[in-house]
Amino acid sequence: MDKQDTHLTSAEIANLWTSYMNNSMSIVMLSFMLQHIQDKEIKEAVQKSYDIAQHYQEETRSFFEAEACVMPDGFSEGDVHMDAPWLFSDIFCLTYVHHMSKVGMINYSGFLGMSRREDIRSFYTRLLSDTSSLYNQTTETAVSKGIHATYPYLEIPKEQEYIEGKQYLSGLHPLRNKRALNAVETAYLYMNILTNTVGEKLAIAFAQTSTSKEIQDYMIRGKDIATKHIKIFASTLQENDIVAARLPDLGVSSSTTRAFSDKLMMFHMSVLTSAGTGNYALAAASSLRTDLALNYERLSLEVARYAKSGVEIMIKHNWMEQPPKTADRDKLSRKKV
């Protein structure tokens, strides 16, 4: 292989940088959770998540060192107060790891598809496999404890059907009844209820433990957005006589003691909003009823505005690390003049 072919591509650098940032955040969050979890099976699942993040963080670091590439600061022990009282219930911790493993599977499959070097592909193949195993473990644990959020059931179809007219796509006409939701649309509505529920509870925990009014206000705004979106998706299901299955009780304690740095909390919300925007885009593209697609687009804009406000806060406080960038050719040229 030509020497130039061994260099990391822009995609590989970007993906390793993102992996390092996300894993460093996960290590801090999970280390705090682990010291308070009482349930043995739940603790095993959270410990597995922590071990995966630690192991692959070391591998990510080795890639940066081998390429003499500067590593991001990420997050460390200075971003968590381990002596703070418990903040999350055991059920929340399990649901959190379950949710983040789904986010990880989506990210890592994308990173794998963008990688060329064999060692990078091997890295993301193993990471995707371990994250999938974690997802299965958290699912099995939740099912065994009767706390798994089950998607709505639909009648099993007995015969093949084809769409017979453009009215199948309608949904905006005020004088026409909307057609019933199909299975795909139902699944995405419920999925977005689940993801917003995790974000809602996390925003509550971050709001009540931050000492900054600016951060408190931002987190409360995020909680309100998540609550609003949950109601919209749930009401759409109810209009079709579909009752969203019972969600697990994602308890957050009443502690107001600072547990995490504001920098970490703001970064975590940016990760969640990014994942949420991706979920909405996929749901919009998969929903054939016009009103559903437009709803997702409208709500995505609200999330985008919220995310932009978060970025502005992070930049203001010098909390936002700049991703690797391409060379400014004009600036390099002017240096010679």
Side-chain angles (χ1 to χ4, degrees):
M1 179 181 289
D2 185 271
K3 184 177 180 181
Q4 185 174 354
D5 290 336
T6 66
H7 290 175
L8 291 173
T9 65
S10 57
E12 290 164 344
I13 292 174
N15 295 339
L16 288 171
W17 189 90
T18 302
S19 299
Y20 189 94
M21 291 292 295
N22 291 348
N23 274 330
S24 69
M25 177 200 72
S26 295
I27 290 168
V28 171
M29 289 289 298
L30 296 171
S31 64
F32 180 80
M33 291 180 177
L34 280 169
Q35 71 172 358
H36 296 290
I37 296 174
Q38 299 296 315
D39 186 283
K40 181 181 177 181
E41 290 178 305
I42 292 178
K43 191 164 189 174
E44 287 177 357
V46 177
Q47 183 67 55
K48 179 173 182 176
S49 180
Y50 178 86
D51 292 342
I52 290 172
Q54 278 280 25
H55 174 76
Y56 287 101
Q57 189 73 332
E58 291 301 318
E59 284 202 45
T60 308
R61 184 177 288 110
S62 69
F63 281 121
F64 281 113
E65 291 173 347
E67 299 292 328
C69 179
V70 64
M71 285 184 289
D73 289 332
F75 304 95
S76 64
E77 295 176 355
D79 291 292
V80 60
H81 298 271
M82 297 297 286
D83 57 346
W86 79 276
L87 184 58
F88 306 113
S89 68
D90 288 6
I91 294 176
F92 177 90
C93 294
L94 178 65
T95 306
Y96 172 86
V97 171
H98 181 73
H99 173 68
M100 295 305 290
S101 67
K102 288 191 286 186
V103 173
M105 287 189 295
I106 294 171
N107 287 342
Y108 299 143
S109 62
F111 294 169
L112 174 60
M114 296 168 68
S115 299
R116 179 206 56 172
R117 260 176 46 172
E118 189 279 332
D119 56 343
I120 303 293
R121 285 186 284 110
S122 173
F123 173 76
Y124 282 116
T125 298
R126 288 181 285 110
L127 184 47
L128 180 58
S129 176
D130 285 346
T131 305
S132 300
S133 175
L134 174 65
Y135 170 78
N136 287 327
Q137 181 176 339
T138 55
T139 300
E140 291 165 6
T141 300
V143 170
S144 69
K145 294 184 178 298
I147 55 175
H148 185 258
T150 303
Y151 281 70
Y153 290 101
L154 298 179
E155 184 177 353
I156 301 298
K158 303 299 182 182
E159 59 183 37
Q160 188 69 49
E161 294 184 78
Y162 282 82
I163 297 172
E164 297 181 348
K166 291 187 294 183
Q167 66 271 17
Y168 191 87
L169 308 178
S170 64
L172 295 176
H173 199 294
L175 301 180
R176 294 179 184 171
N177 291 330
K178 299 174 184 176
R179 66 158 173 80
L181 295 171
N182 62 38
V184 176
E185 293 161 346
T186 300
Y188 278 113
L189 285 166
Y190 190 67
M191 179 191 75
N192 284 305
I193 290 175
L194 295 178
T195 57
N196 273 287
T197 300
V198 173
E200 176 189 49
K201 297 300 183 183
L202 206 57
I204 291 172
F206 288 166
Q208 71 186 39
T209 56
S210 174
T211 57
S212 165
K213 187 178 185 305
E214 181 181 34
I215 305 305
Q216 291 168 3
D217 290 344
Y218 182 77
M219 295 301 170
I220 291 172
R221 179 184 167 196
K223 184 266 294 183
D224 290 343
I225 290 173
T227 302
K228 169 188 169 183
H229 291 197
I230 290 169
K231 289 179 179 178
I232 290 172
F233 299 141
S235 65
T236 304
L237 291 174
Q238 289 168 359
E239 288 169 3
N240 287 261
D241 298 317
I242 300 172
V243 179
R246 183 183 64 85
L247 296 173
D249 183 14
L250 305 184
V252 174
S253 81
S254 59
S255 172
T256 58
T257 303
R258 187 177 184 83
F260 306 103
S261 69
D262 290 333
K263 174 185 175 183
L264 182 141
M265 292 189 290
M266 290 298 298
F267 178 82
H268 202 323
M269 292 306 291
S270 74
V271 171
L272 292 182
T273 53
S274 176
T277 301
N279 289 338
Y280 284 7
L282 183 57
S286 303
S287 299
L288 294 178
R289 233 174 65 178
T290 308
D291 61 315
L292 299 179
L294 290 179
N295 238 358
Y296 284 121
E297 292 177 10
R298 174 176 62 86
L299 299 179
S300 292
L301 181 59
E302 187 173 24
V303 174
R305 288 171 177 162
Y306 177 70
K308 182 176 182 291
S309 298
V311 169
E312 290 171 351
I313 291 173
M314 294 174 74
I315 292 174
K316 171 184 173 182
H317 293 282
N318 197 31
W319 292 336
M320 190 166 190
E321 292 192 61
Q322 180 174 280
K325 61 182 179 179
T326 58
D328 186 333
R329 302 300 175 180
D330 290 341
K331 185 175 181 181
L332 290 173
S333 299
R334 286 195 295 270
K335 281 186 177 181
K336 295 180 180 180
V337 180

